[in-house]
Amino acid sequence: MKILVTGAKGQLGQEISRQMDADQQLILTDIDNLDITNQDKVRSVFQEVKPQAVIHCAAYTNVDGAEQDFDGAYKVNVIGSQNLASQCLEHHARMVYISTDYVFDGQGTRPYREFDPTNPLSVYGKTKLYGENIIREILGRHYIVRTSWLYGDGHNFVRTMLRLAKEKKQLRVVSDQIGSPTNSKDLVWAIRQLLLTDAYGVYHGSGNGACSWYEFAVKIFAFAGVNIAVEPITTGEYLLPATRPAYSVMENYMLKMAQGDPFRLWEEALEDYLCDLNS
Ligand SMILES: NC(=O)c1ccc[n+]([C@@H]2O[C@H](COP(=O)([O-])OP(=O)(O)OC[C@H]3O[C@@H](n4cnc5c(N)ncnc54)[C@H](OP(=O)(O)O)[C@@H]3O)[C@@H](O)[C@H]2O)c1
């Protein structure tokens, strides 16, 4: 399959390239050669490449920066997605759009399913949800895959913790936000399987199980053999511009029903990631 990847230099994009390059024809793009907000450029790239599928990883992902830059986040997450969806429609291509647990408000008491009501608290979450909506309106052949707490090749919580452990004697980490860490390897595996089907719709694709950021950090240091004191703190003690959901655990319900849930327990997937980092 000829697949155009947006945001290919990001965490997920790099994992797609690593896993899928051998058996798919990948056209890897990022902002330097395909700014998705540029409608003419998107059109001309589609005319040239004629992709059968798009894996749309490009996004405005600076969650806190977005609070002061609604227009910037809207332009990438909504207008950019609109540009791609319109061209997918014209070229009969299917699209995987990566969305987020931040579309939920975190007031739930059990893992969110795909059809539970959304209510994003942040500009980032809102624009990602508007991106979902505009794709649904334009393109029938979509797979919207919501993931959470993603780590792969690039800036992420795991690498930040390991770096900070080298610089500090003690770390303070928020313990009252609960979610599911997701290894980008598992997410790419799920995307590959989805692309083989015509089962379009919304999917949750997160690591199984749940933890707080504090528990995540403690596990990272345990697996990495790093000895450092970690103190649990509340969200109120670590104020950031964007409000995060307190509880954003998602159940991969649609995957379970459709083709099986390929996501590992978050601890197992984390241990594997740390082994890869050391090898
Ligand atoms: N990371 C997470 O924890 C997480 C959680 C849930 C959902 N997601 C979603 O998963 C997807 C992949 O995330 P990620 O962690 O791989 O993100 P990432 O590492 O930030 O990668 C995003 C890529 O998109 C590029 N980009 C930004 N604006 C663009 C534009 N106008 N045109 C083309 N490319 C542009 C970025 O370039 P620059 O770096 O130059 O800006 C970057 O290379 C995103 O849709 C994100 O919303 C991520």
Side-chain angles (χ1 to χ4, degrees), residues 10-12 30 34-36 57-59 61 98-99 124 128 147 150:
Q11 290 197 84
L12 182 59
D30 208 291
L34 177 57
D35 179 347
I36 59 167
C57 309
T61 54
I98 312 300
S99 192
Y124 169 74
K128 290 295 293 184
T147 192
L150 189 66

Side-chain angles (χ1 to χ4, degrees), residues 30-123:
D30 208 291
I31 191 159
D32 46 358
N33 59 353
L34 177 57
D35 179 347
I36 59 167
T37 67
N38 182 334
Q39 196 179 21
D40 291 338
K41 183 71 185 171
V42 172
R43 192 179 292 123
S44 74
V45 167
F46 268 75
Q47 261 161 17
E48 188 189 327
V49 170
K50 297 191 173 48
Q52 295 160 289
V54 171
I55 308 180
H56 176 23
C57 309
Y60 187 115
T61 54
N62 180 348
V63 176
D64 291 309
E67 290 301 303
Q68 294 302 317
D69 186 18
F70 184 92
D71 292 355
Y74 191 90
K75 204 166 175 195
V76 179
N77 294 344
V78 188
I79 303 297
S81 301
Q82 181 185 38
N83 291 338
L84 292 164
S86 303
Q87 284 305 305
C88 282
L89 183 68
E90 203 168 314
H91 291 265
H92 308 289
R94 49 190 66 193
M95 186 205 278
V96 180
Y97 170 77
I98 312 300
S99 192
T100 170
D101 55 327
Y102 285 11
V103 299
F104 295 112
D105 64 15
Q107 296 305 303
T109 49
R110 53 133 182 97
Y112 288 100
R113 289 181 170 175
E114 288 80 351
F115 36 81
D116 284 330
T118 51
N119 182 30
L121 304 173
S122 60
V123 168

